[in-house]
Amino acid sequence: MAEELRVVLRNYGKINPLNIDDYINAGGYKSLEKARSMSQMDVIQEVKKSGLRGRGGAGFNAGQKWMFAYQAQADQKYVICNADEGEPGTYKDRIIMESDPHSVLEGMAICGYAIGANKGYIYCRGEYPYVVDILNTAIAQAKAKGVLGEFDIEVRMGAGAYVCGEETALIESIEGSRGEPRYKPPFPPVSGLWGKPSIVNNVETFANIAIILEKGADWYASLGAPSYPGTKVLTLTGDVVNKKFIEVPTNTTIREVVYGFGGGIPGGKKFKAVQIGGTSGGFIPESLLDTPIDFDSMAAIGATLGSGAVLVMDETRDIVDVVERIAKFFEHESCGKCAPCREGTMRMYKLMSKVNKGQGTAKDVALMERLGRVMSVACLCGLGQAAPTPVLTTIKHFRADYDAKLQ
Ligand SMILES: Cc1cc2nc3c(=O)[nH]c(=O)nc-3n(C[C@H](O)[C@H](O)[C@H](O)COP(=O)(O)O)c2cc1C
Ligand code: SF4
């Protein structure tokens, strides 16, 4: 059986997160020192060569992203850590920040050095006020020790809107505006916070940086799946024996996650489906459980790795009912800026409700499929584009559950 591999969570439970000396004694802030002895370009090339891809959902090569911001000419640049973590069932960023906040600060400071930014923001989920306290304590200790040098970090809190996790909505929110996504391009590395080049990376992405510089790009690139190297922190929820977080190499299969680490389905019940990556993740049937969890393998089966939330459903779950609730979530969280999502999420929820109540027909299911396909290409941001995925994947893999409710 595959084993846990703690790279991001290397200090979990081993250090006192409120004591910077513990982090330093464990080798902390040495990578920042090392980065500063290298050229900016060499740091970026090392991160790029490691193959590290963003852990916030989109899977973009981190070093490549940094390169865009490095190359952009500007008097001011910013580093932003996306700690909004609004995805239901996801709490991996919280675990990282509350157990090892300095690993995130160090990753941000290395990024700041590499791209030429002296200011960083952590945009933290509003429901995590105690995490904000931990981060502020860590920042104060790092400043007092002088380890961050000229690099300054401030924490900003979200207010509960799911869309504010989208990087440009997050930037609008830090600027004090309504959290609505921007039209892209330009992308944040070219024009982000206050129009300046800005790197937005996820907490887990930043927490990988120091160890990459410490152990080298080749070491990191050799872990897990070659196209999406490293590890992934996953949170197991739903109908699974072990509801817990794990960190595993990215070539671990879904079956190993659910049955190995998760301990299988409780109460002797049978497996029905697993949804990975959060609310907009695809529903995966038993026949696809041997798929590795890496970004590309998941995309190949129409699913996502996303934030790493793993929601297991046993045979007693009513799939159509679950998807109706998801459709309601998206109708509520749509920010309303673009019509395909504002209208589409509302229509999708109405159609799902109709079908779930036993009042729908095969024509309604066909309409949902068409609407979903249009939304996935016509919506402005990832929220609307991905909102139909649960509907489309359940119609594909669990069609009998829909048919059983049709007139
Ligand atoms: C609706 C929506 C919500 C998102 N929420 C988050 C979030 O909570 N945390 C996160 O890191 N990325 C989130 N993202 C992805 C970000 O837009 C962005 O891709 C990410 O922060 C980039 O960091 P990475 O390259 O390190 O993954 C969200 C995207 C969308 C469309
Ligand atoms: S897709 Fe939805 S959440 Fe995104 S901008 Fe359009 S209305 Fe807002």
Side-chain angles (χ1 to χ4, degrees), residues 84-164:
D84 195 45
E85 193 155 71
E87 197 64 73
T90 308
Y91 58 92
K92 59 153 186 113
D93 293 340
R94 169 170 71 74
I95 298 292
I96 296 167
M97 291 185 289
E98 63 184 23
S99 65
D100 195 10
H102 288 285
S103 68
V104 182
L105 306 189
E106 187 174 7
M108 290 178 71
I110 292 170
C111 176
Y113 170 74
I115 67 163
N118 62 6
K119 179 84 194 176
Y121 289 95
I122 302 176
Y123 188 88
C124 188
R125 182 187 164 117
E127 290 87 340
Y128 292 167
Y130 55 97
V131 177
V132 172
D133 290 344
I134 293 172
L135 290 170
N136 279 328
T137 303
I139 293 168
Q141 290 184 358
K143 279 184 185 168
K145 282 257 179 216
V147 286
L148 294 179
E150 298 297 299
F151 190 71
D152 184 43
I153 304 178
E154 259 183 66
V155 182
R156 295 290 169 92
M157 279 174 91
Y162 176 74
V163 76
C164 282

Side-chain angles (χ1 to χ4, degrees), residues 32 35 38-45 47 62-80 107-121 151 188-190 192-193 196-201 206 209:
L32 176 57
M38 297 161 67
S39 72
Q40 290 169 280
M41 185 56 96
D42 282 350
V43 175
I44 293 173
Q45 289 297 0
V47 174
Q64 181 61 54
K65 198 193 269 193
W66 292 15
M67 182 78 85
F68 292 137
Y70 168 75
Q71 286 166 341
Q73 299 295 319
D75 55 350
Q76 176 75 55
K77 298 179 186 180
Y78 296 103
V79 176
I80 301 168
M108 290 178 71
I110 292 170
C111 176
Y113 170 74
I115 67 163
N118 62 6
K119 179 84 194 176
Y121 289 95
F151 190 71
V190 173
L193 190 60
K196 304 293 182 187
S198 309
I199 286 299
V200 183
N201 273 138
F206 280 126
I209 300 294

Side-chain angles (χ1 to χ4, degrees), residues 54-56 65 82 85-86 162 165-167 200-202 205 382-383:
R55 296 313 201 229
K65 198 193 269 193
N82 191 340
E85 193 155 71
Y162 176 74
E166 194 281 336
E167 57 188 8
V200 183
N201 273 138
N202 173 254
T205 311
L383 187 151

